[in-house]
């Protein structure tokens, strides 16, 4: 019986040492991943500024949207109509944009999570408010950060 107790105590000591080693390893890996993420996020931010500049981050500046061709104008127009329409259920319905009645802002690619959030504050926001520049800025940051973690690992 004494031999079994000694073996169990030794196994517990070994188990504790392994757990401590794994925790230290996880801590070091998470610290490394954080550093790699921050470097990639910084590079994503630099690339965004090189492509778009910093003026697109101004929520009152929407001229850059109309100077571009393609879908970005559709996103902004969808946001403007959604902002002016009444609240409906399910959330995100736009009325007045089509003859067929209300439809979801998902179909205008107006980034529904931002559209719903900013519609709450719409009465106090300026009439030319846009969040597309902010959305693209965060997209570049997270794409750079997460991609660098994937490449690192």
């Amino acid at each position: 019986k004494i031999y079994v107790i000694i073996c169990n105590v030794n196994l517990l000591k070994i188990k504790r040492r392994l757990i401590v080693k794994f925790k230290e390893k996880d801590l070091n890996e998470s610290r490394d991943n954080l550093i790699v993420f921050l470097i990639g996020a910084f590079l994503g931010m630099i690339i965004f500024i090189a492509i778009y500049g910093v003026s697109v981050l101004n929520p009152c500046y929407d001229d850059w949207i109309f100077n571009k061709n393609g879908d970005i104008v559709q996103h902004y127009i969808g946001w403007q109509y959604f902002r002016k329409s009444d609240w409906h259920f399910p959330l995100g319905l736009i009325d007045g944009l089509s003859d067929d009645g209300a439809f979801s802002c998902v179909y205008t690619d107006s980034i529904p999570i931002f559209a719903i959030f900013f519609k709450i504050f719409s009465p106090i926001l300026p009439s030319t408010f846009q969040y597309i520049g902010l959305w693209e800025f965060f997209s570049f940051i997270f794409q750079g950060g997460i991609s660098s973690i994937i490449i690192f690992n």
Side-chain angles (χ1 to χ4, degrees), residues 87-139:
W87 284 99
H88 297 282
F89 188 80
L91 294 176
L93 289 181
I94 302 173
D95 51 351
L97 187 59
S98 128
D99 291 338
D100 297 334
F103 66 94
S104 176
C105 67
V106 169
Y107 299 119
T108 63
D109 295 330
S110 300
I111 312 163
I113 194 161
F114 272 37
I116 292 169
F117 176 77
F118 286 117
K119 183 175 178 158
I120 296 168
F121 301 105
S122 185
I124 60 173
L125 294 174
S127 62
T128 59
F129 182 81
Q130 60 88 17
Y131 52 80
I132 298 169
L134 185 66
W135 172 261
E136 289 188 12
F137 181 67
F138 285 126
S139 295

Side-chain angles (χ1 to χ4, degrees), residues 2 6 17 19 22 36 44 48 51 53 57 62 69 90 92 96 113 120 123 140-141 143 149-151:
I2 295 174
I6 292 173
R17 283 188 208 140
I19 290 173
F22 281 123
V36 168
F48 173 85
I51 293 172
L57 296 174
D62 64 354
N69 293 328
I113 194 161
I120 296 168
F140 271 73
I141 287 174
Q143 184 176 11
I149 288 175
I150 291 171
I151 291 170

Side-chain angles (χ1 to χ4, degrees), residues 64-77:
W64 70 278
I65 293 172
F66 295 109
N67 290 335
K68 299 227 177 235
N69 293 328
D71 291 343
I72 198 162
V73 176
Q74 171 190 323
H75 306 328
Y76 184 67
I77 291 172

